[in-house]
Amino acid sequence: MKLNGARILLECLKREGVDTIFGYPGGTVINLYDELFSFKEIRHILPRHEQAGVHAADGYARATGKVGVAIATSGPGATNTITGIATAYMDSIPMVIITGQVPTALIGNDAFQEADIIGITRPCTKHNFLVKDVKDLATIMKKAFYIARTGRPGPVLVDLPKDVQIAQTEFHYPESVEIRGYKPTVEGHPKQIEKAVAMIMQAKKPVIYVGGGVILANAAAELVAVAKRLGIPVTTTLMGLGAYPENDPHSLGLLGMHGTYYANMAVSHCDMLIAIGARFDDRVTGKIASFAPHAKIVHVDVDPTSIKKNVRVDLPIVGDVRDVLQKMLKVADEIGPDAKACEAALAPWIAEIDEWKKKHPMTYKQSTSVIKPQYVIQRLRALSDPDAIVATDVGQHQMWTAQFFGFTAPRTLLSSGGLGTMGFGLPAAMGAQAGFPDRQVMVVCGDGGFQMNMQELATIVQNRLNVKIVILNNNFLGMVRQWQELFFDKRYSSTCMELPIDFIKLAEAFGATGLQATKVEEVDEVIKKGFATDGPVLMEFKVAREEKVLPMVPAGASLTEMVLAS
Amino acid sequence: MRHTIAVLVENEFGVLSRVVGLFSGRGFNIDSLTVAPTNDEALSRITLVTRGDEQIIEQITKQLNKLIDVIKVIDFEPEHAIEREMVLVKVSAEDQSRAEVLRIADIFRAKVIDVTPKSYTLEATGAPAKVSAMVELLRPLGLKELVSTGPVVIGRGAKAWKG
């Protein structure tokens, strides 16, 4: 039977296991939406802005591990997706974005709502496709999903002209695809892995440095097994939080610019750094020349371009992180001393780290007169479900969440790490809640970032997405203000959000519940009430206005040059 | 270090812009670039000349390989490869310099492809060093216009690079 392109697209999504999509209709996707009207197998959620739709698909993908799907119309709809796509690209999130395009005959004519979205998204997608013939559509969709979820995952955009949506052809969905230019290395080289394990077992002061790749590869359990087997302490990047339980005694927490004192000291003094699914971002390394100066570096990554991009590497292993970790564990059992012996051998190193932990634990100065933002984060952890999902926006609250929440499971922190996109949090939480209707989902934001996508309150209420919104309100663009305080002589140029917004009324205007805490003793009460209230709740906490995120390694300084909390 | 890199790509629209965009986006140099279909019509071959230290060249080849439409990347070592480029040069040629231009052309086995009372246009093919030597000799005589293909490169020996 012949189907039109719009229907074929939906059939392809169904066969890829997609049951939830986020999209915004418009002139060049109206045919697609017409098919969607009677296509009951897919739930469609209408955001209030295409950027939020893409962030929602991104949050859905981060939380569920599935490919997130978003739809936008041509021209402005498509250009509105860019920030969302670039966010996903920087954090390697598997997504397929479908944009409408003007009819093929009009492409290049400056037609109404035409944008060269293939050209525009070339540098921020893993790959993109313009479908010129309906006969190619099914194969392109198969390729798009395959590329998005394999190797180092990433967003793939499919641009679908209106006439291709209307044209008909026989539908046949290919079982598999062959792309001769795309053959990601999955299996780690056994000889390299053997060498690595032998090298690691020789080390006196090893540290494992974990990035988001471990979470993307669903390798958290394997990571814990390897770390325990070899007795090695673990530090994670922002993207890696949750891959290793932070309540474990061998956890060093976050490293880098706002990392813990002991993580940064451990990395700066280690003789062996095992980087797994991480890419040596500048926020992690600080000054490259003095990063891990005494260490041999083993680097495991599925993307060969990540290796030796920023730092020298003594032993590279290209492959799927999970496969490599499984093999490492096997090799360790074959060649090495047992776990007890490994632990004993590293006892002096662990003692050295424990001294650092005692000397400068992760801390802040509590207050009785004003709510400290860090305190709110700690209380959120204490009063939320153990498997709660936390999305963040970008800025100070994001770092406090990373420092003080204490993540213990993968895919429970959803945060824009690479691009640092303000406005990400609320729609990402919305997407995660759509993926897990029965789990507790909260978003921690600042008053600045919240306002960048607050229109999504409407989507959340309309779709009964039970998101709990936490606003740490300091009436500042806090992170920039902090830099201005430290490096620009307190010249607060355009960082004071001078208009005090009534967030409770705002929530109520959209049909959500609004709560507010202005005193320390109200914090628990508001959090408890917020979590107990059915439906979306906005909880505003008026926090200490000029609180800083500490420790802090100034940009371009070495990791040991931390400004500490006390 | 100067490197001549051959890139086998799918012969599809937009591929060249992916390659060029990669270089501009990541701040890599392109000294020259040439592209045309191969004996397999589904493939095009890009030859590009770039510069960088070992680490940069490694990133360039890895990043090129990462592009979905790129099938193979070959960073040719000079001793295992033959490089050729073609130039078309328009040179002033009046009075006494007319003979000199022809003598230089003869030495470099360049062909005269257009003549006017005031100029010669030469076509020369060869290794980039040879071609540029000729251009430098012509320059003081009044080099009016220079068009170059940029080098193309092929490996020595019987082995062929295919998709």
Side-chain angles (χ1 to χ4, degrees), chain A residues 155-171:
Chain A
V156 177
L157 183 135
V158 178
D159 199 23
L160 193 59
K162 190 179 167 83
D163 55 319
V164 179
Q165 294 169 43
I166 297 167
Q168 298 202 339
T169 191
E170 287 293 332
F171 173 62

Side-chain angles (χ1 to χ4, degrees), chain A residues 89 118 122 125-130 132 147 152 179-182 303-310, chain B residues 10-14 17-18 26 40 42-43 55 58-59 62-63 65-71 163:
Chain A
Y89 183 63
I118 292 293
R122 203 170 283 134
T125 51
K126 185 170 174 187
H127 197 59
N128 56 22
F129 295 96
L130 170 63
K132 290 203 277 197
I147 291 168
R152 178 177 179 176
I179 306 170
R180 57 179 163 177
Y182 179 67
D303 178 5
T305 67
S306 286
I307 294 173
K308 293 191 209 166
K309 187 176 67 179
N310 299 336
Chain B
E10 298 285 355
N11 187 10
E12 280 174 19
F13 80 98
S17 73
R18 289 183 203 279
R26 295 196 176 265
D40 176 351
L43 296 178
Q55 189 245 345
E58 184 178 330
Q59 266 299 309
K62 281 175 170 180
Q63 294 286 357
N65 268 311
K66 191 170 161 179
L67 295 176
I68 309 284
D69 288 329
V70 168
I71 293 151

Side-chain angles (χ1 to χ4, degrees), chain A residues 22-30 33 46-55 70-86 97-102 111-118 120-121 157-160:
Chain A
F22 304 84
Y24 209 102
T28 59
V29 283
I30 196 162
Y33 273 83
L46 173 74
R48 294 305 189 262
H49 190 292
E50 289 92 348
Q51 180 195 346
V54 179
H55 287 325
I71 299 174
T73 194
S74 63
T79 55
N80 272 347
T81 66
I82 303 299
T83 302
I85 296 172
I97 299 95
I98 295 143
T99 48
Q101 183 53 280
V102 301
F112 177 65
Q113 292 195 328
E114 181 183 359
D116 174 16
I117 202 64
I118 292 293
I120 294 170
T121 59
L157 183 135
V158 178
D159 199 23
L160 193 59

Side-chain angles (χ1 to χ4, degrees), chain A residues 196-415:
Chain A
V197 174
M199 252 169 83
I200 292 165
M201 284 182 153
Q202 297 272 309
K204 302 258 186 310
K205 299 179 172 190
V207 171
I208 296 176
Y209 147 48
V210 165
V214 172
I215 289 168
L216 292 166
N218 295 315
E222 287 76 6
L223 167 72
V224 173
V226 167
K228 295 266 174 214
R229 173 64 185 80
L230 301 171
I232 303 176
V234 179
T235 178
T236 72
T237 66
L238 176 68
M239 299 309 298
L241 284 175
Y244 192 83
E246 288 193 77
N247 51 7
D248 183 280
H250 278 12
S251 167
L252 302 174
L254 190 71
L255 86 159
M257 181 173 275
H258 293 298
T260 64
Y261 172 76
Y262 36 95
N264 286 341
M265 291 301 277
V267 167
S268 299
H269 290 84
C270 68
D271 64 356
M272 162 62 65
L273 188 70
I274 306 129
I276 307 176
R279 59 185 177 84
F280 296 86
D281 175 79
D282 56 279
R283 287 295 190 262
V284 161
T285 61
K287 189 173 160 192
I288 285 278
S290 52
F291 178 74
H294 316 293
K296 288 211 160 103
I297 297 178
V298 171
H299 191 178
V300 184
D301 206 291
V302 74
D303 178 5
T305 67
S306 286
I307 294 173
K308 293 191 209 166
K309 187 176 67 179
N310 299 336
V311 298
R312 74 201 149 75
V313 170
D314 297 281
L315 202 145
I317 302 172
V318 177
D320 177 71
V321 160
R322 189 159 170 222
D323 174 82
V324 174
L325 285 168
Q326 282 168 348
K327 285 180 180 154
M328 281 175 83
L329 197 63
K330 234 170 125 191
V331 172
D333 286 339
E334 281 164 20
I335 66 164
D338 63 12
K340 265 213 171 114
C342 287
E343 201 187 314
L346 297 182
W349 174 230
I350 299 295
E352 201 176 338
I353 290 172
D354 284 344
E355 280 303 310
W356 288 323
K357 281 186 176 176
K358 255 185 243 155
K359 195 170 159 201
H360 292 293
M362 200 45 145
T363 187
Y364 63 96
K365 204 160 172 247
Q366 180 58 308
S367 160
T368 49
S369 58
V370 58
I371 301 173
K372 284 299 182 88
Q374 301 94 327
Y375 175 68
V376 178
I377 303 296
Q378 287 178 326
R379 297 315 294 158
L380 284 170
R381 167 75 293 180
L383 299 170
S384 59
D385 294 346
D387 71 341
I389 296 169
V390 185
T392 77
D393 216 81
V394 168
Q396 286 187 310
H397 68 276
Q398 176 192 32
M399 291 299 113
W400 286 319
T401 305
Q403 292 177 329
F404 290 97
F405 194 85
F407 291 92
T408 53
R411 300 191 185 280
T412 55
L413 169 64
L414 320 176
S415 198

